[in-house]
Amino acid sequence: MEKNQVPDIVVARLPLYLQTLKTLENEGAYNTSSKDLGQKLGISAAQIRKDLSHFGEFGKQGTGYSIKYLTECLEEILHVNKTWDMALIGVGFLGHAIVNFQGFYNQGFRIKCVFDSDPNKIGQIVAGFEIMDIKNLEATIKENRIKVAMITVHAENAQEVTEKLINAGVKSILNYAPIVLKVPTGIQVQYINPIIELQHMTYYLE
Amino acid sequence: MEKNQVPDIVVARLPLYLQTLKTLENEGAYNTSSKDLGQKLGISAAQIRKDLSHFGEFGKQGTGYSIKYLTECLEEILHVNKTWDMALIGVGFLGHAIVNFQGFYNQGFRIKCVFDSDPNKIGQIVAGFEIMDIKNLEATIKENRIKVAMITVHAENAQEVTEKLINAGVKSILNYAPIVLKVPTGIQVQYINPIIELQHMTYYLE
DNA sequence: TAGATTGTTAATCGATTAACAATC
DNA sequence: TAGATTGTTAATCGATTAACAATC
């Protein structure tokens, strides 16, 4: 497979390039350069050119990159030139905030269904979604062929939920619970963990 | 300064070690090893020992590490053996969720004050905090000597808020807005951005 | 003692950068 | 044309790993 040749650390930067391109487009710009992107992102121009070179040639000498064209290319590379249906598991305060988040739209994602195990929550409507019983998780995810999920349950339940998700065919998990998930090869997991980020920063404080 | 010698990529892993140690402690364990921690975190035992060796010797041959002692050492290294007061700016759905988040407690952090610019929100009480007018941000943060802040405003306003925070003495910023902040040397910024993480993962999907 | 595991060294591996020919 | 910027190469830089003496 060609994509195995691209280091994951390079792949991880592509969404940042895409984000910056979209900001530039919103500002009304049509063209940019590796130098410009690098300054905005705080990384070197050489690194951006090197990263992009793994996937093809997207620029022109002398004039740089067309924002529109490079955006389209990156969206295709990252497979966000389509919209991925997502499941959300755990409708506490955080899950509630995510369900109400407007920012997925036009970035390749939308929430399709939300689950909780609390009988008091099941059946309630949140931002237009009826909270479903977690007992129906596997059937519903299979039925809708959902490949992407977000976990916002307590740490104690995150591994169990993960296993159900994988059973149901989910391949990519964004985990907000503060625990490292055990998953088989081929399943992607990323973590969102404010405590980790805060503790990283306080190292540098007095 | 001694700490400049430690690569940031090593520092970034320390909070993960701490998280795993706390999970183990909750499970009732007293000792662990680099092998055990590595398996739980999906990294090599050698890397964990190498990382820790930047800061001292915390283990014993044959028996590994005392969970209690290594926890204390890491908390001291990361400066979370005290509690950092934090400011939160932007009380939308996400800000609301963060204010209600119970997980900061005992990890070195607590929210001290919350701000918004919306006249309809100012003065309201959220999880026991009165939402303050962002006009009072600089005075209040100076007064309370707050060094850590979380930004949950819209991307358009994040840079402006950042500059106010830095003016007021904030040194570490956890930014939830999807934009790279421009900050002077010596100011720490970390990002929380689910779209970036999701797009990273869909690269590997069909 | 025998087995386990540390801290550290040196080797390996991989990522970043500087430089430049090509060319818009 | 002159200036700017690409894509790529080779060199540099830094991170990870394997191995092992030390020792609990």
Side-chain angles (χ1 to χ4, degrees):
Chain A
M1 291 289 274
E2 203 181 332
K3 59 174 53 176
N4 289 340
Q5 297 169 323
V6 180
D8 184 64
I9 200 164
V10 171
V11 176
R13 281 190 292 262
L14 301 182
L16 293 167
Y17 300 164
L18 192 49
Q19 172 182 283
T20 305
L21 288 168
K22 293 198 173 182
T23 303
L24 283 167
E25 192 178 34
N26 282 340
E27 291 168 6
Y30 289 95
N31 293 289
T32 186
S33 65
S34 58
K35 188 182 170 194
D36 183 33
L37 285 172
Q39 281 174 347
K40 290 203 160 46
L41 284 160
I43 61 183
S44 77
Q47 182 164 74
I48 290 175
R49 295 201 301 280
K50 187 94 208 287
D51 285 355
L52 295 177
S53 75
H54 285 98
F55 304 97
E57 304 186 0
F58 308 109
K60 279 200 178 68
Q61 288 101 325
T63 57
Y65 304 91
S66 153
I67 288 173
K68 185 165 183 289
Y69 178 63
L70 186 53
T71 298
E72 285 167 4
C73 292
L74 285 173
E75 285 176 342
E76 196 178 325
I77 291 165
L78 291 168
H79 302 140
V80 290
N81 54 347
K82 54 166 280 188
T83 300
W84 295 90
D85 287 333
M86 295 190 293
L88 175 86
I89 302 90
V91 193
F93 280 107
L94 180 58
H96 197 264
I98 293 170
V99 174
N100 279 283
F101 178 54
Q102 303 299 309
F104 294 124
Y105 195 73
N106 270 349
Q107 307 280 2
F109 303 93
R110 73 175 159 217
I111 291 174
K112 178 78 180 181
C113 48
V114 306
F115 297 92
D116 205 295
S117 59
D118 181 348
N120 295 319
K121 290 182 183 166
I122 294 164
Q124 280 188 12
I125 309 288
V126 173
F129 294 94
E130 185 181 339
I131 300 176
M132 302 178 74
D133 190 334
I134 204 164
K135 283 177 190 154
N136 301 324
L137 186 145
E138 290 177 68
T140 307
I141 286 182
K142 276 182 190 162
E143 198 177 305
N144 289 279
R145 292 191 179 76
I146 291 175
K147 300 296 169 201
V148 182
M150 294 178 287
I151 297 181
T152 50
V153 301
H154 288 136
E156 309 86 85
N157 305 314
Q159 182 63 40
E160 190 192 352
V161 166
T162 297
E163 282 155 23
K164 284 184 185 168
L165 289 169
I166 293 171
N167 254 339
V170 163
K171 301 291 183 197
S172 300
I173 296 172
L174 186 58
N175 177 31
Y176 287 78
I179 187 174
V180 175
L181 300 174
K182 281 166 244 141
V183 299
T185 313
I187 305 294
Q188 310 300 319
V189 184
Q190 293 293 329
Y191 297 88
I192 300 245
N193 196 329
I195 298 285
I196 298 287
E197 310 298 338
L198 290 167
Q199 292 183 339
H200 179 180
M201 293 193 287
T202 50
Y203 172 80
Y204 296 100
L205 299 187
E206 300 299 308
Chain B
M1 290 289 273
E2 203 181 333
K3 59 174 54 174
N4 289 341
Q5 296 169 325
V6 180
D8 184 64
I9 199 166
V10 171
V11 176
R13 280 191 291 262
L14 301 183
L16 293 166
Y17 300 164
L18 192 49
Q19 171 182 282
T20 306
L21 288 168
K22 292 197 175 186
T23 303
L24 283 167
E25 192 179 32
N26 281 339
E27 289 167 8
Y30 290 94
N31 294 288
T32 185
S33 64
S34 59
K35 188 181 171 195
D36 183 33
L37 285 172
Q39 280 174 348
K40 291 205 159 43
L41 283 161
I43 63 185
S44 77
Q47 182 163 76
I48 290 174
R49 295 200 302 277
K50 187 93 208 290
D51 285 355
L52 295 177
S53 75
H54 285 99
F55 303 97
E57 305 188 359
F58 308 108
K60 280 202 178 68
Q61 288 101 324
T63 58
Y65 304 92
S66 152
I67 288 173
K68 185 163 180 290
Y69 179 66
L70 186 55
T71 298
E72 285 167 4
C73 292
L74 285 173
E75 284 176 341
E76 195 179 326
I77 291 165
L78 291 168
H79 303 139
V80 290
N81 53 347
K82 54 166 279 186
T83 300
W84 295 90
D85 287 334
M86 296 191 292
L88 176 86
I89 301 92
V91 193
F93 280 107
L94 180 58
H96 197 266
I98 292 170
V99 174
N100 279 282
F101 178 54
Q102 304 298 310
F104 294 123
Y105 196 72
N106 268 350
Q107 307 279 0
F109 303 93
R110 74 176 158 215
I111 292 174
K112 178 79 180 180
C113 48
V114 306
F115 297 92
D116 205 294
S117 60
D118 182 347
N120 295 318
K121 290 182 183 165
I122 294 164
Q124 280 188 13
I125 309 288
V126 173
F129 294 95
E130 184 181 340
I131 300 178
M132 301 178 75
D133 191 334
I134 202 166
K135 284 176 188 153
N136 301 325
L137 186 145
E138 290 176 68
T140 307
I141 286 183
K142 276 182 192 165
E143 199 178 305
N144 289 280
R145 291 191 180 76
I146 291 174
K147 300 297 169 202
V148 182
M150 295 179 286
I151 296 181
T152 50
V153 301
H154 288 136
E156 308 87 84
N157 305 315
Q159 183 62 43
E160 190 193 350
V161 166
T162 297
E163 283 155 22
K164 284 184 186 170
L165 289 169
I166 293 171
N167 254 339
V170 163
K171 302 290 183 199
S172 300
I173 296 172
L174 187 58
N175 178 31
Y176 286 78
I179 187 173
V180 176
L181 299 175
K182 281 166 243 139
V183 297
T185 313
I187 304 294
Q188 310 300 320
V189 184
Q190 293 293 331
Y191 297 89
I192 299 247
N193 195 327
I195 298 283
I196 299 288
E197 310 299 337
L198 290 167
Q199 291 182 339
H200 179 180
M201 292 192 286
T202 51
Y203 172 80
Y204 297 99
L205 300 187
E206 299 300 306

